[in-house]
Amino acid sequence: MSNSNRQSLHGEWSSRWVFVLAATGAAVGLGNVWKFPYIAGVNGGAAFVLIYLVFVMLIGVPLLMAEIFLGRTGRRNPALTMRELALESGRSKHWKWVGVIGILSGFLILSYYCVIAGWALDYAFKAASGSFQKLSPEHVRNMFNELISNPVELLQWHTIIILVTTMIVARGVQAGLERSIRLMFPAMVILLLVLLGYVLNTGFFDEGLEFLFKPDFSALTSAGVLMALGHAFFTLSLATGSIMMYGAYLPRHASVTVAAVCIAAADTFVALLSSMIIFPIVFANQLEPDQGPGLIFHTLPLAFSNMPHGTLFATLFFVLLVFAALTSAISLLEPSVAYLVEKYHMSRTKAAYVAGMGVWVVGIGTVLSFNHWADLKLFGHNFFELMDYLTANILLPLGGLFIAIFAAWFMKSDAAEKALDAESDRVFKWWRFCSRYLVPLAILLVFASVVGILKI
Ligand code: TRP
């Protein structure tokens, strides 16, 4: 069968804009609001932010394009797509392993992603019950520590999040997803702007901006550069097959380039906006910018507790954050589900529950890593940190490396050109240059500097 006739077994988006929305929904999530500010804080701010922006443009956009057009041409789960496209270009079927490892990384990311989304859900309830009033930094710290030291509570939120994710995926993403993102994304941006308005009046806005945008390269280590690279993958949902899978549902005549640029721009916008809110609050309350994963849970309640209608805004904000996390969680589960359906001929519902159950079990490790297992460490990392490090810093960049190499070197050039279906020859040539040389080189350099082969 010629590839241009291939159909997805799971339906299609109703238009290309729905695809852009869905992919933006996958991209914008906890990575932007929770993870980006805290890792920027840990790595000293502006220099890290700058490197991250360079990675998003030079590596993120070309890889987004590659994943979208590979998915759209293959129209199967990432493993089968890689296998079929490799065979069509006369290459080894073992390229499927790139897809398999991607699916597995998505599965592992989801296991801790749901636990953190659970924190946001807990905070949504706390906010609604009026707990965010007249808080001191001390109160906020205790509130957060009480939550993470209670495994039963964490498990309960984790269970709810994974259950909802599974139920949505079981139904098929198309119908539910489109409507929710169309409402949520603008609402989230509006609330972030409201918060920004508040922060502009704290008097510490300039300190925040300086921390974020005035680079001090001495604060940046090679481990920090690796984190920036890993996060560029994480935040754009790359290398797990999420975007490839969504591309498989893309109508044929849509601009891959425009879609990739829109997704990357929207994602970056939300990450920067969140950081411009968080850091002025940090400095206004003499908090430390490098306190790690609890950062937004220590800062935002303080901001809300000091502003008019704080209870309302806080509730809305955390509810939206949960929604943003859910639209990402769905994209993390979808490749595993499509794989089970296509490989083992399971029904979609059964596949969703099998995968969801697996994620739930692995997630218990993350739940315990904040309390009972806090001291159980491998290479100096607890279970949650290990999962995060292994996926974001190792598996995602490696997956991205192989996807770029496949699309730009191993896939037949005319097949790639046809699959990208770019607006002009120049766009294709630019994409191929980035994917052939820049992307692999940048990823290899970062790896080399981390293992100490290269001293930068
Ligand atoms: N990008 C999402 C976020 O920033 C998380 C996410 C969704 C993801 N799908 C992914 C991360 C695939 C890595 C790979 O929150």
Side-chain angles (χ1 to χ4, degrees), residues 27-197:
V28 175
L30 296 173
N32 307 62
V33 182
W34 161 73
K35 194 171 181 196
F36 181 69
Y38 100 70
I39 58 177
V42 168
N43 288 292
F48 174 88
V49 174
L50 196 72
I51 300 279
Y52 156 84
L53 290 175
V54 171
F55 285 148
V56 165
M57 280 184 300
L58 289 187
I59 300 184
V61 173
L63 266 177
L64 268 174
M65 291 167 70
E67 279 206 40
I68 297 170
F69 79 66
L70 291 175
R72 178 170 68 175
T73 312
R75 302 228 168 225
R76 292 289 179 272
N77 75 74
L80 198 52
T81 286
M82 289 302 289
R83 181 181 187 274
E84 297 288 299
L85 295 185
L87 290 176
E88 270 164 23
S89 281
R91 304 295 181 180
S92 159
K93 64 174 193 243
H94 290 299
W95 279 102
K96 77 166 184 223
W97 291 105
V98 175
V100 172
I101 291 175
I103 295 173
L104 196 69
S105 328
F107 180 91
L108 294 178
I109 290 174
L110 186 58
S111 76
Y112 68 80
Y113 202 84
C114 288
V115 178
I116 312 290
W119 299 355
L121 186 57
D122 177 66
Y123 271 53
F125 279 98
K126 282 200 168 81
S129 67
S131 312
F132 292 174
Q133 275 162 13
K134 312 242 172 346
L135 289 174
S136 68
E138 192 67 44
H139 275 128
V140 181
R141 193 161 345 113
N142 291 341
M143 196 190 267
F144 182 69
N145 289 339
E146 258 165 42
L147 170 67
I148 63 170
S149 57
N150 185 341
V152 178
E153 210 168 318
L154 290 183
L155 188 65
Q156 164 201 323
W157 298 123
H158 168 58
T159 308
I160 295 175
I161 299 278
I162 188 66
L163 201 65
V164 175
T165 307
T166 305
M167 274 161 32
I168 300 176
V169 173
R171 287 215 184 114
V173 273
Q174 286 90 335
L177 210 63
E178 173 177 358
R179 230 175 315 140
S180 59
I181 300 170
R182 199 173 264 174
L183 274 174
M184 261 177 36
F185 190 71
M188 174 107 185
V189 171
I190 291 171
L191 267 177
L192 285 172
L193 291 173
V194 168
L195 275 171
L196 189 69

Side-chain angles (χ1 to χ4, degrees), residues 26-27 29-32 109 113 234-235 237-238 240 242 328 331-332 396:
L30 296 173
N32 307 62
I109 290 174
Y113 202 84
F234 185 94
T235 192
S237 309
L238 289 170
T240 61
S242 283
S328 299
S331 79
L332 283 162
L396 297 186

